[in-house]
Amino acid sequence: MELFRIRFINKIRPDTLEIRYRAVLESHSSDTIFEGHQLFLRSYLDPTILKSGEVALKAIYNIFSATPKNLLLDQVSFEQSHDRSLLEVPSKQFFDQYIQDNNMIDRVITHAGNDGHPIIDTKLVTELRIG
């Protein structure tokens, strides 16, 4: 098994909202294994998926679908939006539930809880970037 991390960066402009993401290996080489972006025109946007953070979780699902199964997600870094009424970071609870509901538990770091069920240890980091 090999570890990787994902970083999300967003750009909110008057007419558009762009979400960029990059997955890199957690090794000395830090090779990029997946890179993508989504561009939304604000005049045609239903912000529900952006306010919940689900748009990021769907991007993670796509990364899992396109990468080998021996890669485990160690950390996800989100850039906190300056306009939280438009774009929000998913909660840890929502992330964990999305992973379980979409049968991706074997792609994240876990340990067994007291009841034997997996507990997700993948770290979610929220950064407030200035500038």
Side-chain angles (χ1 to χ4, degrees):
M1 295 290 165
E2 199 168 359
L3 300 177
F4 76 102
R5 67 183 180 271
I6 301 171
R7 181 165 193 188
F8 286 89
I9 297 176
N10 54 62
K11 294 182 181 180
I12 298 175
R13 297 182 183 100
D15 296 334
T16 62
L17 185 144
E18 183 178 15
I19 299 173
R20 294 188 165 275
Y21 42 95
R22 176 180 290 172
V24 297
L25 294 178
E26 288 273 18
S27 65
H28 295 295
S29 66
S30 296
D31 292 333
T32 298
I33 57 172
F34 191 101
E35 194 169 349
H37 79 278
Q38 297 176 25
L39 182 69
F40 300 91
L41 296 175
R42 289 177 69 172
S43 59
Y44 295 97
L45 181 63
D46 176 0
T48 307
I49 193 170
L50 297 168
K51 286 182 183 177
S52 69
E54 188 175 355
V55 71
L57 299 179
K58 288 180 181 260
I60 292 171
Y61 182 88
N62 288 338
I63 293 168
F64 286 156
S65 298
T67 56
K69 300 219 180 294
N70 68 325
L71 295 175
L72 291 179
L73 182 58
D74 178 48
Q75 177 178 305
V76 182
S77 297
F78 297 101
E79 179 181 278
Q80 179 63 61
S81 172
H82 295 284
D83 185 352
R84 292 184 186 176
S85 67
L86 184 61
L87 180 64
E88 187 59 75
V89 171
S91 69
K92 176 70 165 125
Q93 181 180 4
F94 188 40
F95 174 83
D96 290 356
Q97 193 63 53
Y98 189 88
I99 294 296
Q100 292 172 2
D101 290 349
N102 288 278
N103 301 314
M104 298 183 292
I105 198 79
D106 59 334
R107 299 302 306 273
V108 295
I109 305 226
T110 62
H111 73 276
N114 292 338
D115 59 1
H117 290 94
I119 296 174
I120 297 174
D121 295 325
T122 295
K123 297 176 283 303
L124 302 185
V125 177
T126 303
E127 304 170 339
L128 181 60
R129 295 177 55 137
I130 307 298

